[in-house]
Amino acid sequence: GFAGTCCRLLAGRGWASVYGGGFPTGTLLVNLAGCLLIGILYGLLDRTSWLSQRECLFLITGLCGGFTTFSSFADDVWSLGNRGDWIVCMLYLLASVAGGVLMVWAGRFFLNRV
């Protein structure tokens, strides 16, 4: 979890220094990337013996669990709503939830086609 958390911090800060703005792009991108990685890892677990179940779950729960961040997502949603940015808030919710599920699907789909 520590490695994932450090990666999240660096990625979030890096993106914030490039983008800035009022939209929580850093959290969104980190969560979508984490969902894609989770899909790829579960796809590897389903299709190959490259990683054991224990190793794969360690990476999914530890690395990806530390990298993605539901608490930051929840705070971002609250902050956008509290500012009255309801359209941006709803877009962020939709992009995060639907995008996250899409990324998990894409990771698993890609491995099933290779």
Side-chain angles (χ1 to χ4, degrees), residues 8 27 31 69-77 92:
R8 176 182 71 226
T27 303
N31 285 340
T69 172
F70 187 78
S71 56
S72 292
F73 163 71
D75 184 62
D76 291 339
V77 170
Y92 180 57

Side-chain angles (χ1 to χ4, degrees), residues 41 44-45 48-56 59:
L41 289 170
L44 282 173
L45 183 62
T48 70
S49 60
W50 184 63
L51 292 172
S52 71
Q53 183 174 7
R54 182 174 285 176
E55 293 166 329
C56 201
L59 290 172

Side-chain angles (χ1 to χ4, degrees), residues 35-102:
C35 288
L36 179 62
L37 183 57
I38 286 171
I40 290 169
L41 289 170
Y42 271 122
L44 282 173
L45 183 62
D46 289 345
R47 266 192 105 223
T48 70
S49 60
W50 184 63
L51 292 172
S52 71
Q53 183 174 7
R54 182 174 285 176
E55 293 166 329
C56 201
L57 291 176
F58 169 77
L59 290 172
I60 291 167
T61 304
L63 182 67
C64 293
F67 185 63
T68 58
T69 172
F70 187 78
S71 56
S72 292
F73 163 71
D75 184 62
D76 291 339
V77 170
W78 183 88
S79 295
L80 290 168
N82 194 49
R83 286 193 325 229
D85 290 336
W86 294 109
I87 292 174
V88 174
C89 183
M90 291 300 120
L91 289 172
Y92 180 57
L93 273 166
L94 180 64
S96 295
V97 175
V101 172
L102 182 63

